[in-house]
Amino acid sequence: MTDVSTMSEKDLKLKVNDIRTQITHHDRELKSIYRELKLHRTNSDDLKAKRDELNAKVKGIVVKARDARSKRDSINAKISSLKASRNEFLEKSKNFSNEMSGLKSKRDDLNKQSKGSVEALSRAYAADLDTFLNGDIPLNHEIDLFKKLFDLKERLGAAFNANEIHKKLMETYEASKDTFGSNANVGSEIKELAEQSQKYHLEMLELYKQVDEIRKEADLAHTQMREKFTVTAPIREKIDPLKAKVVALREELDVYLEKVNEIQLEKDEKKQEEHLVVAKEKLDKKGRLSLEDLKVLMEKGDLKF
């Protein structure tokens, strides 16, 4: 900075005006920066509000999607349990069917072998046996009758066995009723549950699709916010240097103004001294004074009442 003690009043005033012009220029530049930042900040605030609103919306939809998924999974677990039970029933049914098929086959084979009921065969066997034991029959007839009794005995044994197997078959059939009956409605229940599960699954997929779309929009708003920050960073960096320049200029201006004030005070003092001389001359010569003259004399103590 120039030595102010060597500068004329004119140079000092020119310097003051120059510094004031610089300060005004920097102030305007700062105001322009603040206006630009305010505009960006307003846009950033709008983007932030939009992002936050979208993220809040995402949270609400995610809660619904998780609820739908939970319901779907719960139904699927029930379906799995029913399928396991159905498979167990099917296995039991298969075992019952196989067992009954085997018993039927044995019974039918025995019935083919017996060719009659126990009652009918028993009556025939008893009649032939009585004839064989008590009847007066020829030898040839007796031999044939003996063979017939042996055949009837074999057939009667087969009939007894067929009855026993049939009895066991009926017992197996009665035991299987509960199994076949308990499995009757499982298929329709599984189908109904599967439809409910699919409904919740599709609802969940639709909700997560909405979440993805909204998140993309929220991410875009966030990206735009970051871009705004990137754009305004160089602008903000101008503020502190400009402020520092203004502070330095004001400090420099104070020095020049102080010197100008000193010169002005000296000029005022000199002018007042000259005025005092003139006022004294007026007082001595004319005895009449103006208000300004009177004020000067009283301030300097040259006139007392």
Side-chain angles (χ1 to χ4, degrees), residues 68-118:
R69 182 175 63 186
S70 176
K71 289 178 179 177
R72 181 205 64 183
D73 292 345
S74 176
I75 291 173
N76 286 345
K78 191 172 182 180
I79 289 173
S80 296
S81 177
L82 285 172
K83 284 183 176 180
S85 298
R86 183 183 64 179
N87 291 339
E88 184 180 348
F89 290 143
L90 290 174
E91 184 64 26
K92 286 182 179 180
S93 299
K94 181 180 178 182
N95 291 336
F96 277 125
S97 295
N98 291 338
E99 185 177 356
M100 286 190 290
S101 294
L103 290 171
K104 281 181 181 180
S105 179
K106 288 181 181 179
R107 182 198 64 183
D108 293 343
D109 288 342
L110 289 168
N111 282 334
K112 288 178 182 179
Q113 184 180 347
S114 67
K115 299 177 182 179
S117 66
V118 171

Side-chain angles (χ1 to χ4, degrees), residues 12 16 20 252-262:
L12 286 169
V16 165
R20 281 175 173 166
E252 186 178 0
L253 178 62
D254 288 341
V255 174
Y256 289 114
L257 285 176
E258 184 178 356
K259 183 60 179 178
V260 170
N261 289 334
E262 287 179 5

Side-chain angles (χ1 to χ4, degrees), residues 141-239:
H141 187 195
E142 185 177 345
I143 293 171
D144 291 337
L145 188 60
F146 179 79
K147 290 180 179 179
K148 184 179 179 182
L149 284 171
F150 183 80
D151 181 60
L152 284 172
K153 182 180 179 183
E154 292 291 326
R155 289 170 61 194
L156 186 60
F160 274 115
N161 289 336
N163 282 352
E164 288 298 318
I165 290 175
H166 180 74
K167 181 180 178 182
K168 187 174 181 181
L169 175 63
M170 295 308 296
E171 290 174 351
T172 303
Y173 173 73
E174 290 297 324
S176 69
K177 282 183 178 179
D178 291 338
T179 298
F180 287 115
S182 60
N183 192 41
N185 297 323
V186 172
S188 60
E189 186 176 358
I190 288 175
K191 181 180 178 182
E192 183 180 346
L193 289 172
E195 290 174 355
Q196 294 180 22
S197 173
Q198 181 67 2
K199 183 189 75 171
Y200 287 120
H201 179 70
L202 293 176
E203 180 183 344
M204 179 196 70
L205 292 179
E206 177 60 27
L207 289 169
Y208 276 124
K209 181 181 177 182
Q210 293 178 29
V211 165
D212 288 340
E213 291 174 353
I214 295 172
R215 274 181 176 161
K216 287 179 182 177
E217 194 174 352
D219 290 343
L220 176 60
H222 183 71
T223 300
Q224 290 173 337
M225 281 177 56
R226 292 178 62 87
E227 289 173 352
K228 288 285 183 185
F229 182 81
T230 302
V231 169
T232 57
I235 300 174
R236 289 194 302 272
E237 290 174 358
K238 296 178 182 179
I239 294 175

